[in-house]
Amino acid sequence: MDAFVIQGGTRLRGEVEINGSKNAALPILAASLLTDEECVIRGVPDLADVRHLCSLLESLGAKVWQDKDKALHIQVEEESHCLADYETVRRMRASICVLGPMLARRHRAAVSMPGGCAIGDRPINLHLRGLEALGAKLAMEGGNIFADGQHLEGKEIFLGGPFGSTVLGTANVMSAATLAQGETIIECAACEPEIVDLGNFLNAMGAHIHGHGTPRITIRGVESLSGADYTVIPDRIEAGTFMIAAAISNGELTLKHCRTEHLVAVIDCLNTIGVDVERAEGAVRIHSARRLHPVDITTQPYPGFPTDLQAQFMTLLCLADGNSMITEKIFPDRFMHTAELNRMGAQLRKEGPTVLVQGVKELIGAPVMASDLRASAALVLAGIVAQGETTVLRVYHIDRGYERIEEKLNRVGAKIERVDQP
Ligand code: EPZ
């Protein structure tokens, strides 16, 4: 099992090219099940989660191949197999996003109920409520959801939950509604850029979707969808992670292939704590050369502060000049990283969904354990600036969402070695 051995005390300088978005690519790849024509998806990052979804599509009768420009080609050849089994879903929860497309196109689907998750409770009741509202008949057996969608019909659906909207829930219902009879209106829909990207892809396939990117999405069902050639958006969470890397190391980075309009809440917090962020067309320059101010942050659905950057920003605020409060409003238990950061000399105290971050002068290198994708990114950032050596164990978590992050960081001055840790 791989680990990272990091020599700390480095300042990052240089240019970084941001990859295509993992969280946009996954539901878009799943939506290719809505047609038997060839789909070409460009800019898809080479990640464990993407490879995992491609093998799921293959098990569901699709042929998946990559061309010399790294574009992914998907063509459904066989539609009899409709089960996304436990082995598949337990390794990646986002597998659930094949449910809506399969139901709409094959009129039946079976998906294993996702189990527990390191970042907290993640039910799918809203996905099921939305699909049932479209007319799907659902049954639960042996840990699997069996869905029958012979007659999907457009409806007005409220998709809000206790923590607001649901991203993949919106993706599933929006995809299913493209082939339903009549008009569907999704209220309290997720407004994330990844949902806009999926809506644009579905419209490129011939769907009639309006309002994606707002809380009210309208979908007028069509008879069938065709193939499409589409390029996914840049990864705003990867970009945010590198912005924080520049700030925490008092460095200077220019990020290329980055959409700053997707990161307004994050840039606002960086400005507030004293980091210079200069935007240019498709790029951004981040520069910091001083001890940073504290700030209070609350994670929210888009366009609020993203929960997927909470851990990384917490690491940054560990070194601020004063106390900050971080409140996690999307996944209230998403704090596996705090104990590990405290092992590196941070002063973090958790009270329910809030962590008090008392700023310290420096972090000290130590062996730490990654527990989930974004927590592992936070520990790598801590290792880059800590005094001495840090070992981050279980980096398979980080490979799920960052393509060879250690190579990208080493190119701008970090000292990270990937080692095989028995
Ligand atoms: C997506 O997960 C992302 N994953 C997550 O990123 C991200 O943290 C999350 O959205 C929030 O932004 C992908 O896009 C693959 P939700 P998703 O449904 O769609 C509750 C990463 O690091 N809820 O929007 O699964 C839920 O428990 C990953 O890349 C219900 O109650 O998240 C949570 O509290 C981690 N019932 C809140 O809503 C439901 O049926 C938001 O979850 C569904 C969700």
Side-chain angles (χ1 to χ4, degrees):
M1 202 185 287
D2 287 3
F4 282 164
V5 177
I6 310 173
Q7 307 310 324
T10 54
R11 288 188 86 178
L12 303 181
R13 284 183 181 288
E15 265 187 24
V16 176
E17 178 83 15
I18 298 300
N19 274 4
S21 164
K22 164 184 85 82
N23 288 350
L26 296 176
I28 285 175
L29 290 169
S32 65
L33 293 174
L34 285 163
T35 179
D36 57 5
E37 294 183 17
E38 182 181 338
C39 293
V40 182
I41 318 294
R42 302 177 191 279
V44 178
D46 177 16
L47 300 170
D49 276 10
V50 168
R51 291 191 293 275
H52 192 67
L53 190 84
C54 289
S55 51
L56 171 57
L57 295 178
E58 284 170 335
S59 75
L60 295 170
K63 200 167 114 215
V64 182
W65 70 100
Q66 195 166 34
D67 65 23
K68 62 179 179 17
D69 307 322
K70 298 214 166 153
L72 276 178
H73 297 244
I74 305 108
Q75 172 122 40
V76 173
E77 295 185 329
E78 212 273 307
E79 295 182 306
S80 60
H81 188 49
C82 293
L83 171 64
D85 62 23
Y86 178 62
E87 255 331 285
T88 309
V89 176
R90 83 175 175 77
R91 287 171 55 197
M92 182 183 68
R93 304 179 59 78
S95 312
I96 192 80
C97 59
V98 299
L99 179 58
M102 266 209 293
L103 199 56
R105 168 80 188 175
R106 303 179 186 192
H107 308 306
R108 63 197 176 88
V111 176
S112 167
M113 273 291 271
C117 178
I119 70 175
D121 194 12
R122 298 182 73 183
I124 56 164
N125 57 316
L126 297 171
H127 299 234
L128 303 182
R129 191 169 78 191
L131 296 173
E132 244 173 350
L134 288 176
K137 303 274 174 295
L138 304 178
M140 213 19 224
E141 199 191 308
N144 291 323
I145 304 146
F146 292 90
D148 176 317
Q150 287 306 330
H151 306 292
L152 296 187
E153 212 172 306
K155 282 280 182 317
E156 180 151 1
I157 303 167
F158 178 76
L159 218 50
F163 304 96
S165 56
T166 162
V167 178
L168 290 182
T170 301
N172 254 329
V173 175
M174 183 163 75
S175 300
T178 56
L179 295 177
Q181 286 286 315
E183 182 173 90
T184 297
I185 296 173
I186 303 177
E187 291 287 2
C188 196
C191 304
E192 271 66 5
E194 294 77 24
I195 289 295
V196 176
D197 217 25
L198 174 62
N200 292 342
F201 172 64
L202 292 168
N203 280 347
M205 295 173 82
H208 292 272
I209 301 176
H210 298 284
H212 41 307
T214 76
R216 190 170 197 276
I217 301 177
T218 307
I219 306 114
R220 195 155 45 73
V222 294
E223 276 303 306
S224 65
L225 293 170
S226 59
D229 187 325
Y230 192 82
T231 302
V232 300
I233 53 174
D235 195 315
R236 64 191 169 103
I237 304 300
E238 185 193 23
T241 302
F242 276 95
M243 287 179 178
I244 295 167
I248 201 170
S249 68
N250 273 344
E252 185 171 333
L253 288 181
T254 298
L255 308 185
K256 291 284 170 85
H257 187 234
C258 166
R259 301 261 297 265
T260 50
E261 69 271 25
H262 292 163
L263 286 156
V264 175
V266 179
I267 293 172
D268 178 61
C269 285
L270 288 169
N271 287 334
T272 306
I273 65 174
V275 178
D276 304 329
V277 180
E278 277 167 42
R279 304 181 198 203
E281 189 51 43
V284 60
R285 180 172 156 275
I286 305 97
H287 178 233
S288 160
R290 48 182 295 283
R291 188 130 192 244
L292 302 170
H293 302 305
V295 68
D296 295 346
I297 288 177
T298 299
T299 64
Q300 293 167 318
Y302 188 87
F305 191 95
T307 172
D308 294 345
L309 286 171
Q310 177 256 99
Q312 300 93 315
F313 218 97
M314 182 185 289
T315 306
L316 177 59
L317 293 174
C318 287
L319 297 166
D321 192 4
N323 295 349
S324 308
M325 301 273 271
I326 296 185
T327 302
E328 177 54 69
K329 278 264 173 88
I330 308 293
F331 297 107
D333 303 319
R334 192 178 198 170
F335 290 118
M336 295 290 279
H337 41 285
T338 52
E340 300 301 315
L341 289 169
N342 278 345
R343 285 175 46 72
M344 298 178 73
Q347 294 288 325
L348 305 169
R349 207 175 68 239
K350 180 179 172 319
E351 297 278 336
T354 297
V355 168
L356 170 65
V357 184
Q358 288 172 273
V360 295
K361 288 235 171 329
E362 61 180 5
L363 295 174
I364 314 295
V368 288
M369 180 84 76
S371 54
D372 62 81
L373 167 55
R374 308 304 172 183
S376 45
L379 297 177
V380 169
L381 296 184
I384 287 171
V385 291
Q387 295 312 312
E389 182 174 290
T390 296
T391 304
V392 182
L393 302 169
R394 296 189 182 171
V395 293
Y396 62 83
H397 285 292
I398 211 168
D399 293 334
R400 298 188 52 181
Y402 298 88
E403 191 177 321
R404 286 182 286 287
I405 193 169
E406 78 277 17
E407 292 173 14
K408 277 192 177 182
L409 286 166
N410 286 347
R411 276 199 290 274
V412 290
K415 295 191 185 90
I416 307 176
E417 193 194 349
R418 180 185 287 261
V419 297
D420 181 12
Q421 188 90 18

